[in-house]
Amino acid sequence: MEIHSIMSKRYGGMLQQMSHVLIDGDNVIMIDAGAEVQDVESVIGDKKVLAVLITHCHFDHVCCVEDYVEKWNADVYVKEGAEEKFSDAHKNCSVLIGENSVFQVPQKNIKYYAEKLKIADFDIDVYFTPGHAADCVCLCVEKKLFCGDLVLGGTTGRCDLYDSSYFEMEKSLAKLEGIDFDTAYPGHYDTLTKAEVLNSF
Ligand SMILES: [Zn+2]
């Protein structure tokens, strides 16, 4: 499996959202939808993105999702019920930067997470890790942990947003030690070793 991380250019690039492209032969999936289609195409050529797995439905993680559906008819995985955040600028937190961003994703493209997913030959373990938002998940593929905004930049994600919970955050962080991974790919900033993740809280 090859992994390419692409920084989002939306919102002036100021949020430094990182979306991750996973390539296995001809099969491609993505973690989060902050990267422009053309930037994804520059790493996958004319392969197709089968699915985009959203770590949580904050605007910066989903801002290009409509383009992925239009370009590749990609499936869009979210925690069940979280798709309501696509069409609600308060719930997807875009109002916090003075935007009113809403995203239209056809219901037929929306899929819900289960604890284990298999997409083509990708075996994905899904961990429900609420705290930063109620719909946060971490996704583990071949010992690579895509942790969204649970841990990033040597600290933990903020918990003062719509449906955040400090109490849930503590419980989610406690799960990390028990997950078998060697590298974490957060939703912002650089990759972290497992030791760096565990030293972040
Ligand atoms: Zn977030």
Side-chain angles (χ1 to χ4, degrees):
M1 177 176 72
E2 271 175 60
I3 303 173
H4 297 265
S5 298
I6 301 175
M7 193 184 289
S8 179
K9 292 177 180 161
R10 292 279 165 109
Y11 307 103
M14 66 173 178
L15 298 160
Q16 299 189 31
Q17 197 284 323
M18 301 297 282
S19 296
H20 310 286
V21 182
L22 281 54
I23 306 174
D24 173 34
D26 282 335
N27 296 315
V28 180
I29 61 172
M30 287 187 63
I31 314 294
D32 284 331
E36 302 289 341
V37 164
Q38 64 190 55
D39 290 339
V40 178
E41 283 184 309
S42 72
V43 298
I44 69 170
D46 54 15
K47 293 176 187 168
K48 239 176 96 152
V49 175
L50 299 172
V52 55
L53 284 60
I54 304 296
T55 61
H56 61 294
C57 294
H58 280 164
F59 69 102
D60 49 332
H61 295 250
V62 305
C63 51
C64 298
V65 69
E66 292 168 317
D67 300 340
Y68 298 2
V69 171
E70 188 183 310
K71 174 79 190 174
W72 300 296
N73 193 29
D75 286 334
V76 179
Y77 281 83
V78 297
K79 183 169 184 226
E80 185 169 358
E83 68 272 23
E84 66 168 10
K85 295 184 178 182
F86 288 135
S87 54
D88 187 321
H90 171 65
K91 293 180 180 176
N92 69 37
C93 293
S94 58
V95 291
L96 296 181
I97 61 158
E99 298 281 343
N100 188 31
S101 301
V102 294
F103 311 97
Q104 306 297 334
V105 180
Q107 192 65 42
K108 70 175 177 53
N109 290 77
I110 291 179
K111 310 284 177 195
Y112 297 134
Y113 285 121
E115 287 188 5
K116 284 191 185 294
L117 287 183
K118 189 167 179 78
I119 301 171
D121 287 331
F122 295 99
D123 286 304
I124 303 146
D125 288 311
V126 179
Y127 299 91
F128 294 96
T129 51
H132 172 69
D135 59 312
C136 285
V137 297
C138 290
L139 303 159
C140 197
V141 187
E142 295 182 18
K143 298 200 180 188
K144 309 304 173 197
L145 187 71
F146 300 91
C147 58
D149 291 359
L150 178 60
V151 172
L152 65 174
T155 185
T156 57
R158 56 189 284 196
C159 281
D160 58 342
L161 302 168
Y162 173 79
D163 80 11
S164 287
S165 163
Y166 287 100
F167 176 70
E168 295 293 339
M169 186 67 153
E170 289 295 319
K171 291 200 293 183
S172 294
L173 291 168
K175 291 182 187 174
L176 285 166
E177 190 162 12
I179 301 175
D180 186 15
F181 70 97
D182 54 41
T183 310
Y185 291 74
H188 304 259
Y189 316 120
D190 293 332
T191 59
L192 301 167
T193 64
K194 184 166 184 177
E196 287 170 334
V197 166
L198 298 179
N199 284 329
S200 301
F201 56 92

